[in-house]
Amino acid sequence: MKTIGIAITGSGSALPATFLDNQGLTELVETSDEWISTRTGIRQRHLAKAGESLAELATAASSQAIAMAGITPQQLDLILLATSTPDDLFGSACQIQAKLGATRAVAFDMTAACSGFVFGLVTAAQFIRTGVYQNVLLIGADILSRWVDWQDRRTCVLFGDGAGAVVLQANQSDRLLGFELRSDGTQNDCLNLPYTPESTELIPGVSVGKGNFQPITMNGKEVYRFAVQQVPEIIDKALFRANLSVEQVDWLLLHQANQRILDAVAQRLNIPEHKVISNLAYYGNTSAASIPLALDEVVRQGKIKVDDIIVASGFGAGLTWGAAIFQWGK
């Protein structure tokens, strides 16, 4: 049986036009630009207005990725949307499929929070490697501003909105060189966007739990400790699976959560600063969108070349974390 590989052949990104800088946040909560930037590296974040939808952002990012890949939406076989904040709780991938006019593509959402893009990349690759699909669109998109408590200074300084996308295609050589995924539900309470039900009696003796989702809550110290410890370890495992050394890595592309995490992980792996991709100063933590957003930015700047080896790692709620090593282009 002939081995089918995958190649990542296109990228795209989209952001809401509105942004809020750290100075603007000082009007909402007791904080300062210096406090936020020194602890997180974030200086501003883009925020979606009430009339802007996740599907619109994701469609704009997807159109760019499809164009770069040199295919049409009608050639897509599968659309995977990694998100925790769909416009509709039943999912938004099908809306994106319709907006793109990708009439042949099956579409569905998947949720792994800030790890969503890496989990989605590995999932998409399996459909191609088994010969089922040829062209897959993978989107990471989130509008976390909908679920932030803007009076909670521990969380409101961190998050922003955006979308990023890539096209994966069947290829003679396999450009996904190795991966490793992990979950630990025992630490689930470190980062939550919980549903809180209230008992509503329908008839005597029959009650249901009606309610709503509550704003994001996070134990920042625990999440930081988890990321700094687990991310270098999982990258090492993925490198081992790929039969690569750290020295062979051209770019380190981490989930853009906190500059201190990026610096600590790079230091533990002995990866020099010039190989670390970082744009969180301008966008904040955009959850599943952060890795493809940062990837698209450096691709369009011409920094990433064909055959460059990229280590991508996502980590977040669940708790979930994972690493995927791939070469850019065909």
Side-chain angles (χ1 to χ4, degrees):
M1 182 179 169
K2 186 181 177 184
T3 304
I4 302 169
I6 70 131
I8 300 174
T9 58
S11 65
S13 58
L15 294 155
T18 305
F19 68 88
L20 176 66
D21 62 17
N22 291 347
Q23 193 56 44
L25 276 172
T26 64
E27 298 177 33
L28 293 173
V29 290
E30 189 181 333
T31 190
S32 68
D33 174 55
E34 188 203 10
W35 191 91
I36 298 167
S37 58
T38 54
R39 283 163 178 78
T40 69
I42 301 165
R43 296 192 175 277
Q44 67 175 47
R45 66 285 298 145
H46 289 252
L47 304 176
K49 293 179 181 176
E52 289 180 286
S53 72
L54 183 95
E56 288 168 343
L57 279 176
T59 300
S62 299
S63 296
Q64 293 178 12
I66 292 164
M68 187 186 288
I71 61 171
T72 65
Q74 292 74 26
Q75 289 173 275
L76 290 173
D77 302 302
L78 171 66
I79 297 171
L80 272 179
L81 171 63
T83 188
S84 303
T85 56
D87 299 320
D88 183 327
L89 200 56
F90 289 151
S92 292
C94 291
Q95 291 173 281
I96 298 162
Q97 182 238 21
K99 286 178 180 293
L100 288 170
T103 50
R104 289 182 54 248
V106 63
F108 62 89
D109 291 33
M110 61 178 293
T111 303
C114 301
S115 306
F117 183 80
V118 171
F119 277 48
L121 183 64
V122 173
T123 302
Q126 308 317 306
F127 283 101
I128 295 174
R129 284 173 165 176
T130 53
V132 178
Y133 296 135
Q134 299 281 306
N135 300 310
V136 179
L137 172 66
L138 170 62
I139 309 157
D142 271 302
I143 298 181
L144 287 172
S145 60
R146 293 170 172 170
W147 299 108
V148 166
D149 177 355
W150 290 98
Q151 301 305 311
D152 180 3
R153 68 174 184 170
R154 295 167 300 176
T155 56
C156 75
V157 302
L158 300 174
F159 299 105
D161 305 335
V166 295
V167 170
L168 293 84
Q169 293 186 276
N171 199 53
Q172 282 188 321
S173 63
D174 199 348
R175 313 288 271 177
L176 179 60
L177 307 177
F179 67 85
E180 190 81 13
L181 304 177
R182 287 279 189 275
S183 301
D184 181 5
T186 65
Q187 297 188 75
N188 179 262
D189 60 353
C190 290
L191 181 51
N192 297 108
L193 202 171
Y195 177 80
T196 305
E198 289 183 15
S199 181
T200 303
E201 190 171 62
L202 302 179
I203 61 172
V206 179
S207 297
V208 294
K210 293 195 70 176
N212 206 340
F213 290 94
Q214 302 304 305
I216 295 167
T217 59
M218 183 174 72
N219 184 328
K221 286 182 180 177
E222 285 303 314
V223 172
Y224 178 87
R225 188 179 295 131
F226 145 76
V228 170
Q229 180 182 335
Q230 298 294 346
V231 173
E233 191 176 301
I234 205 161
I235 287 172
D236 272 337
K237 285 185 167 68
L239 285 167
F240 177 78
R241 290 192 181 277
N243 196 27
L244 291 169
S245 67
V246 171
E247 291 73 31
Q248 290 171 281
V249 172
D250 293 303
W251 301 100
L252 179 63
L253 176 55
L254 300 179
H255 164 51
Q256 305 287 296
N258 184 313
Q259 189 62 46
R260 288 164 66 205
I261 293 175
L262 270 62
D263 294 342
V265 171
Q267 197 170 7
R268 288 200 178 195
L269 290 167
N270 284 323
I271 292 177
E273 189 181 338
H274 70 269
K275 291 185 176 183
V276 180
I277 296 169
S278 174
N279 68 357
L280 62 80
Y282 308 104
Y283 309 120
N285 178 344
T286 56
S287 191
S290 81
I291 290 174
L293 258 175
L295 175 65
D296 182 56
E297 190 167 77
V298 287
V299 166
R300 291 181 186 275
Q301 288 170 352
K303 292 180 180 178
I304 288 184
K305 312 293 186 191
V306 173
D307 294 335
D308 276 4
I309 294 173
I310 301 162
V311 172
S313 182
F315 47 92
L319 293 174
T320 57
W321 65 108
I325 301 167
F326 61 92
Q327 283 181 283
W328 176 254
K330 289 185 179 180

